[in-house]
């Protein structure tokens, strides 16, 4: 079974703090994704990575950056957290190829005070 | 640009009743279509997907979906709902054959399903 894990289920941070969200997958997947999920808006893509050290902006990259130094790990960074970044963050991974399925982690619920 | 609309934000059904969740997509060519389910506090789990061929797709947990190109729809159905089906359901579209999207998906807004005993 594919396993995608996220470092924290719940996180509380202060405005202005630098926040790291970690995602690890154990299936040697090349593609990894970070989404944020907000009620009524569904999932929106923040960044994705199609290989180690490669990254592409998604639909809402402002205020975020990412790092992929190893194939199994994809980090989302909030350089200076703001209250409007309070959300659920979901990581996903997949093999390359248009018919491949994205597998999701359990999510990190982030509250920025 | 591709987009997905799930017209129903919240649906309530009685246990044992049939279910249909609507999904309409916008995409310039033949899309790849997915339905995911999210139980409370959990990540997303794939229910089923459509790439080509038979337009009626069977998935896990007794769900099925039908691709209708003329209506740009991919509605999810289940003949008899169980209380454990209460969850949020997401429809998603990805670039089809010949697309170069690295597997990016565009998700709908989600439909919350409540099941009454």
């Amino acid at each position: 079974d594919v396993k995608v894990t996220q470092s924290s289920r719940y996180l509380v941070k202060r405005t202005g703090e630098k926040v790291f969200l970690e995602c690890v997958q154990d299936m040697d997947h090349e593609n990894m994704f970070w989404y944020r999920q907000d009620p009524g808006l569904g999932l929106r893509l923040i960044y994705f990575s199609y290989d180690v050290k490669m990254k592409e902006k998604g639909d809402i990259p402002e205020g975020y950056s990412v790092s992929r130094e190893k194939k199994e790990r994809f980090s989302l960074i909030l350089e200076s957290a703001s209250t409007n970044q309070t959300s659920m963050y979901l990581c996903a991974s997949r093999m390359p190829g248009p018919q491949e399925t994205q597998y999701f982690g359990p999510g990190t619920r982030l509250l920025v005070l | 640009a591709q987009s997905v609309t799930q017209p129903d934000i919240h649906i309530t059904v009685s246990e044992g009743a049939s279910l249909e969740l609507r999904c309409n997509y916008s995409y310039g060519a033949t899309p790849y279509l997915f339905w995911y389910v999210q139980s409370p506090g959990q990540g997303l789990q794939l229910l089923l997907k459509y790439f080509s061929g038979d337009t009626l797709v069977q998935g896990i947990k007794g769900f099925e979906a039908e691709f209708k190109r003329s209506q740009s729809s991919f509605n999810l159905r289940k003949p008899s709902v169980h209380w454990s089906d209460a969850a949020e359901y997401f429809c998603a579209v990805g670039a089809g054959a010949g697309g170069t999207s690295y597997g990016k998906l565009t998700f709908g807004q989600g439909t919350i399903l409540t099941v009454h005993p």
Side-chain angles (χ1 to χ4, degrees):
Chain A
D1 265 2
V2 175
K3 189 149 189 188
V4 181
T5 56
Q6 295 183 229
S7 51
S8 305
R9 294 299 301 272
Y10 301 94
L11 213 50
V12 180
K13 296 293 181 180
R14 297 271 177 204
T15 301
E17 278 192 76
K18 191 169 186 175
V19 181
F20 293 86
L21 302 182
E22 303 285 336
C23 175
V24 177
Q25 49 92 6
D26 67 355
M27 285 302 292
D28 206 34
H29 286 171
E30 291 184 20
N31 304 157
M32 296 187 75
F33 306 82
W34 274 107
Y35 295 90
R36 66 176 281 175
Q37 180 183 7
D38 300 289
L41 296 178
L43 279 72
R44 292 177 292 166
L45 182 65
I46 304 171
Y47 267 97
F48 69 100
S49 168
Y50 50 91
D51 207 342
V52 177
K53 297 190 187 293
M54 308 304 286
K55 59 186 179 185
E56 291 279 342
K57 292 179 180 179
D59 300 318
I60 52 165
E62 297 77 20
Y64 303 94
S65 62
V66 290
S67 172
R68 185 137 181 235
E69 297 297 318
K70 293 185 177 182
K71 194 172 189 179
E72 67 271 16
R73 188 180 299 270
F74 191 33
S75 302
L76 180 69
I77 304 156
L78 286 66
E79 296 289 344
S80 177
S82 64
T83 54
N84 62 15
Q85 292 178 309
T86 291
S87 187
M88 169 74 98
Y89 290 88
L90 290 163
C91 174
S93 72
R94 70 191 281 278
M95 291 298 287
Q99 299 189 9
E100 295 295 331
T101 298
Q102 285 192 25
Y103 294 90
F104 283 82
T108 295
R109 190 167 291 282
L110 173 67
L111 173 62
V112 183
L113 300 173
Chain B
Q2 58 204 48
S3 66
V4 177
T5 301
Q6 294 179 243
D8 304 305
I9 296 172
H10 196 168
I11 283 184
T12 300
V13 299
S14 298
E15 192 168 17
S18 63
L19 172 70
E20 182 168 31
L21 302 182
R22 295 183 291 164
C23 172
N24 294 101
Y25 69 89
S26 173
Y27 186 71
T30 300
Y32 290 159
L33 294 159
F34 304 80
W35 274 100
Y36 282 87
V37 61
Q38 184 181 36
S39 298
Q42 303 297 315
L44 273 68
Q45 179 184 22
L46 181 72
L47 283 175
L48 47 78
K49 56 188 178 183
Y50 170 79
F51 296 134
S52 64
D54 192 347
T55 56
L56 186 62
V57 181
Q58 302 297 320
I60 62 170
K61 305 186 182 191
F63 285 92
E64 66 179 26
E66 187 170 12
F67 171 59
K68 292 186 177 180
R69 184 191 303 275
S70 61
Q71 298 177 19
S72 297
S73 69
F74 188 56
N75 293 349
L76 183 71
R77 302 194 294 247
K78 187 169 185 179
S80 177
V81 170
H82 188 262
W83 63 266
S84 60
D85 293 324
E88 189 163 14
Y89 292 79
F90 293 93
C91 181
V93 62
T100 53
S101 69
Y102 296 108
K104 287 189 294 180
L105 297 179
T106 298
F107 285 83
Q109 303 91 326
T111 298
I112 297 171
L113 174 66
T114 298
V115 180
H116 280 321

